Amino acid sequence: MKLERLTNNKIKIFLTLDDLIDRGITKEDILGNSLKVHKLFQDMVEEACEELSFKMSGSIAIEIFSLPAQGLIIIVTKDEEELLTDEEEFLDLQVKIDDFPHILYVFNDFEDIVQLCRRLSFQGLLNSTLYHFEGRYYLLIENVKDTTYDTVISLAAEYGHASTLTLSRINEYGTCIIESEAIHVLLTHFS
């Protein structure tokens, strides 16, 4: 589990698929919105809040984003406008689950991306963007067909690893190197 404080009233928790398995949770459990999942999220949020000195009280919104073959990103937001009455603390959790329709992988070496692009060329041209952020390269692959999705994830995992950063952060603070059809552009220039 990786934790990051985004703002005064917002934190991010990243759970890999291994973290979920270690806790005995499957994606089906999460989508089923079971009592077991609510208890898990409450325990994780409490643990994260304690570690990041994030006081949990009032209305708490939890957004869960599924990153296929990577894990989950959980965004916890505290409503600062909420006033407590009678000095009694309460906790109101609101859970929202979404899927991210893209694949985002990070690479330490530019040559790894070139090698991956060569392997991906056999999967057809994929809508992709290349970013640079904090000395590393990020390849965003979008609109992958269901029939090739697992293959693309497996190939990307051979050369890099799933990014725990949000696409919003990379867009805001990173540099876009190739805006569209990055795989095709890289194959053209580095084949």
Side-chain angles (χ1 to χ4, degrees):
M1 181 166 79
K2 293 182 183 177
L3 305 173
E4 179 182 349
R5 187 176 204 114
L6 301 175
T7 65
N8 252 359
N9 66 333
K10 189 179 285 193
I11 61 172
K12 178 177 85 171
I13 304 168
F14 177 73
L15 290 169
T16 64
L17 293 178
D18 289 338
D19 291 333
L20 292 173
I21 291 168
D22 290 346
R23 288 173 165 83
I25 299 291
T26 65
K27 279 193 170 182
E28 290 75 29
D29 291 335
I30 293 167
L31 293 174
N33 210 8
S34 70
L35 186 58
K36 177 182 177 182
V37 172
H38 276 270
K39 178 67 175 141
L40 168 76
F41 285 135
Q42 187 169 355
D43 291 346
M44 283 188 319
V45 168
E46 286 174 2
E47 180 184 333
C49 289
E50 186 177 309
E51 194 168 320
L52 294 173
S53 300
F54 186 80
K55 189 169 191 260
M56 259 188 18
S57 62
S59 182
I60 303 282
I62 299 177
E63 295 178 275
I64 303 167
F65 298 98
S66 174
L67 301 173
Q70 299 170 42
L72 297 175
I73 290 181
I74 302 167
I75 305 291
V76 179
T77 307
K78 177 173 53 173
D79 185 3
E80 289 187 320
E81 303 286 322
E82 196 78 38
L83 296 175
L84 296 177
T85 58
D86 298 330
E87 298 178 10
E88 184 178 309
E89 290 190 5
F90 68 95
L91 187 61
D92 177 23
L93 295 180
Q94 302 163 5
V95 178
K96 176 183 169 189
I97 300 175
D98 285 330
D99 274 330
F100 273 152
H102 60 261
I103 299 168
L104 182 62
Y105 269 73
V106 59
F107 305 86
N108 292 325
D109 187 14
F110 187 78
E111 183 60 31
D112 290 336
I113 296 172
V114 173
Q115 294 300 322
L116 172 62
C117 290
R118 288 184 181 135
R119 300 274 306 274
L120 289 176
S121 68
F122 298 107
Q123 302 303 316
L125 293 179
L126 300 170
N127 188 7
S128 53
T129 306
L130 182 64
Y131 296 92
H132 186 262
F133 178 61
E134 294 183 344
R136 298 162 79 184
Y137 298 94
Y138 293 81
L139 183 62
L140 170 68
I141 305 171
E142 299 178 282
N143 304 326
V144 179
K145 296 176 188 168
D146 290 341
T147 55
T148 60
Y149 190 88
D150 289 338
T151 304
V152 172
I153 289 285
S154 297
L155 289 172
E158 286 182 35
Y159 296 95
H161 57 276
S163 173
T164 61
L165 295 179
T166 61
L167 185 55
S168 301
R169 184 167 181 190
I170 293 171
N171 272 324
E172 187 170 341
Y173 298 108
T175 303
C176 181
I177 298 173
I178 303 172
E179 190 170 347
S180 63
E181 296 186 17
I183 294 171
H184 177 70
V185 171
L186 290 169
L187 284 172
T188 302
H189 294 287
F190 297 99
S191 60

